[in-house]
Structures are given as C-alpha cells and as structure tokens.
Amino acid sequence: MPRKRPGALRAARGTFEGRRPPAWAWELPSVDRLSPAPSAEVHWALGARAGNVAGLLSMYRRFLRTPGRRLWLVPSGCPGCPGCALDDVAVVRDELADHYRAVPSEARRALGRVLRLLDEEFRHRTFPDPDPPAAHWTDWSGDPYPWWHRRLYADNP
Ligand SMILES: [Zn+2]
C-alpha cells in the first residue's frame, strides 16, 4: 500500500559530497554488509538513522526468504502508522530508496549494488500487476510510484 513520501531525507546530500567522513563515522560498526568507506558515509550522512538502512535491508531479505518460487506482496493492515506501514515490502523498498538518495556517492554505489541484487530477485519472484488499483500508480501529489508498487498483492486491496 502506497504512503505519503516525506522526502525529508533528500536535502542534505550536497553537504557530504566529495568530502571524507570524520573519524567517528569510521569507528562505528559497518552498516549491513557495506565496506568501511561506504559505511562511514552512511553514518555521517544519516546519523542515528544509519541503523534503519540495515534494518530495512533485513526486512527486504526476510520477504525474499519466504518459501516458494513465487511471492505475493502483503498489504499492511495499518498503513497509516509508520511502523506497521513497513509490513508492506513495497514501503520498505520506498524507504530504502529515500536513504539511497540521501547518502553520498560512494555509499550510494555500494547500496545500489546491494539493492540491484535484491531487486532482481524481487522482480523475478513477484508478478507485475497488469491492472493495479489507481492508488498504486501515483502518490498523493500525482507523482508515479516506483515499479515495486505495481506488483500483485496477496489480496488486492
Ligand atoms: Zn499500526
């Protein structure tokens, strides 16, 4: 189920581009499976939200670990609340996209590589929705939703 997109994470990127993260960012544990340089960039750019990247990636992987060759998306029973909205893997993917846009280029490349592999499997195991509900095409501002919203849901809401 689509959601409103805050876009709050988008602004800060220019601040970090082309600069080396400070020492504290290198001392923090690596983010998911990212190597030290991209991890440090994620910590620097996202601060306390850096942990969300790892959490969202593990939610995405958990969805892909569902047994069976084919997967259906599952709508959130409570899409209006930020925690429950993440029960829908398309919303998890939205948040990963927001973080992807918010981090500096080295982190963006590294995160992009991780996302491409996961997306490939997601595309392969879910079905495109030939006739998605209007709510899955555009968001509240009329912008088109990314492709991962136009996949078949277990019970088309
Ligand atoms: Zn809730």
Side-chain angles (χ1 to χ4, degrees):
M1 181 54 86
R3 52 158 200 157
K4 291 188 177 184
R5 302 177 62 84
L9 292 174
R10 265 169 236 179
R13 202 168 73 211
T15 318
F16 305 99
E17 211 61 71
R19 295 172 57 206
R20 186 183 160 81
W24 63 262
W26 294 84
E27 284 158 15
L28 292 168
S30 50
V31 174
D32 194 66
R33 300 164 190 180
L34 302 186
S35 48
S39 273
E41 285 193 351
V42 171
H43 283 299
W44 191 30
L46 300 183
R49 290 166 312 183
N52 298 354
V53 174
L56 292 161
L57 285 172
S58 70
M59 285 182 221
Y60 197 7
R61 290 196 189 97
R62 195 182 312 141
F63 175 78
L64 295 173
R65 272 201 306 273
T66 310
R69 211 165 62 84
R70 290 297 203 170
L71 298 176
W72 283 261
L73 279 69
V74 180
S76 167
C78 179
C81 109
C84 301
L86 295 172
D87 292 344
D88 181 345
V89 72
V91 176
V92 170
R93 186 61 185 82
D94 280 338
E95 303 227 333
L96 283 165
D98 287 346
H99 287 98
Y100 171 84
R101 280 190 293 267
V103 295
S105 53
E106 191 155 352
R108 203 156 61 246
R109 274 193 299 276
L111 189 54
R113 280 192 293 273
V114 175
L115 287 174
R116 263 195 304 283
L117 286 174
L118 298 175
D119 285 348
E120 197 180 318
E121 188 180 353
F122 179 84
R123 257 184 215 279
H124 193 69
R125 292 178 68 201
T126 59
F127 301 92
D129 187 347
D131 184 26
H136 288 210
W137 277 107
T138 55
D139 68 11
W140 57 278
S141 65
D143 288 336
Y145 270 109
W147 60 270
W148 53 80
H149 281 278
R150 299 190 298 275
R151 313 300 287 180
L152 284 182
Y153 276 77
D155 54 336
N156 273 309

